[in-house]
Amino acid sequence: MDSDPESPLQLPKPQPIPNLLHSVYEKGPFRICCVCSQVLTDGRLYEVQKVYRGKETIFEMAICHGCGEEVAREFSEESKENMKHFLLSHFRPSTEPSHCHFCGFPRGLVPNFTIVGMCREHSLLVPSIIMCEKCGERLQQKLSRKTREAQGDFIRDNFPGVPEGLDVSPAPSFGVLS
């Protein structure tokens, strides 16, 4: 199939946000940003991240694009480059969230995984991304101490009930590729 270099990149058509990315606590789609408490259904871009242990949600958040960029400003340049390299060299695109998008391992066979979705209003703009715990650990090893501390501060400041030592570090999408 020939591609026309002059034609724009064809992005998938937005889809309804799947239940897998709905809030357990809000019993449906997320409504407010976890940082600034602004309404998410007013047209702003936002990201949903959920961490699952088996079928149980152990952490969830929705963060607007502006707050996500603020968090990313705390990351070291070295970490941003390492995250970008990891994503670009290991990402395996797929429209179905049934496998880790980095190693290809089936989601149903991993004990813990993170799912991330980029949303606007009530739509998922691009297919969600799954990262298994093992790939998440590989990525975390590439982060500087400064970045890991910034992630820890973000969790402590915005999610005071999360037990110390529970790895719910935000996935690297906070403005890293922007």
Side-chain angles (χ1 to χ4, degrees), residues 19 22-31 60:
N19 290 341
H22 283 187
S23 171
V24 171
Y25 303 104
E26 295 183 34
K27 297 185 179 6
F30 286 87
R31 294 186 290 266
E60 65 175 22

Side-chain angles (χ1 to χ4, degrees), residues 35 63-81 83 144 146-151 153-154 170-178:
V35 175
I63 185 169
C64 71
H65 185 68
C67 288
E69 286 186 332
E70 280 295 314
V71 172
R73 284 188 188 107
E74 299 294 319
F75 294 178
S76 71
E77 288 304 316
E78 173 191 3
S79 290
K80 288 179 191 179
E81 282 302 311
M83 285 188 271
S144 69
K146 175 186 176 187
T147 298
R148 288 192 309 274
E149 287 173 358
Q151 288 178 327
D153 290 346
F154 172 79
S173 51
F174 290 145
V176 171
L177 296 177
S178 301

Side-chain angles (χ1 to χ4, degrees), residues 14 22-23 40 43 48 52 63 99 102 112 116 122 124-125 130 133 140 149 173 178:
H22 283 187
S23 171
L40 296 172
V48 172
Y52 283 87
I63 185 169
H99 292 75
F102 298 90
N112 301 332
V116 178
H122 297 290
L124 181 66
L125 299 179
I130 298 284
E133 183 176 37
Q140 286 294 312
E149 287 173 358
S173 51
S178 301

Side-chain angles (χ1 to χ4, degrees), residues 46 93 97:
Y46 64 98

Side-chain angles (χ1 to χ4, degrees), residues 22-176:
H22 283 187
S23 171
V24 171
Y25 303 104
E26 295 183 34
K27 297 185 179 6
F30 286 87
R31 294 186 290 266
I32 62 169
C33 173
C34 69
V35 175
C36 68
S37 300
Q38 294 295 310
V39 174
L40 296 172
T41 56
D42 64 356
R44 72 182 67 220
L45 286 174
Y46 64 98
E47 179 178 296
V48 172
Q49 287 192 28
K50 292 183 70 174
V51 178
Y52 283 87
R53 179 171 288 141
K55 293 183 180 187
E56 178 186 7
T57 301
I58 61 169
F59 178 79
E60 65 175 22
M61 71 171 192
I63 185 169
C64 71
H65 185 68
C67 288
E69 286 186 332
E70 280 295 314
V71 172
R73 284 188 188 107
E74 299 294 319
F75 294 178
S76 71
E77 288 304 316
E78 173 191 3
S79 290
K80 288 179 191 179
E81 282 302 311
N82 288 344
M83 285 188 271
K84 186 175 182 177
H85 181 267
F86 182 89
L87 294 172
L88 293 174
S89 62
H90 296 288
F91 183 69
R92 300 174 181 174
S94 167
T95 57
E96 293 299 319
S98 59
H99 292 75
C100 175
H101 286 95
F102 298 90
C103 69
F105 205 73
R107 184 183 84 204
L109 298 178
V110 296
N112 301 332
F113 68 92
T114 299
I115 183 168
V116 178
M118 183 56 68
C119 307
R120 175 175 278 141
E121 295 178 342
H122 297 290
S123 296
L124 181 66
L125 299 179
V126 293
S128 54
I129 298 172
I130 298 284
M131 181 179 278
C132 72
E133 183 176 37
K134 192 172 195 172
C135 288
E137 289 170 358
R138 285 178 38 218
L139 177 60
Q140 286 294 312
Q141 291 171 355
K142 299 182 179 309
L143 303 182
S144 69
R145 181 178 184 165
K146 175 186 176 187
T147 298
R148 288 192 309 274
E149 287 173 358
Q151 288 178 327
D153 290 346
F154 172 79
I155 297 298
R156 268 188 306 284
D157 293 348
N158 295 285
F159 303 95
V162 174
E164 190 74 32
L166 179 64
D167 183 16
V168 293
S169 301
S173 51
F174 290 145
V176 171

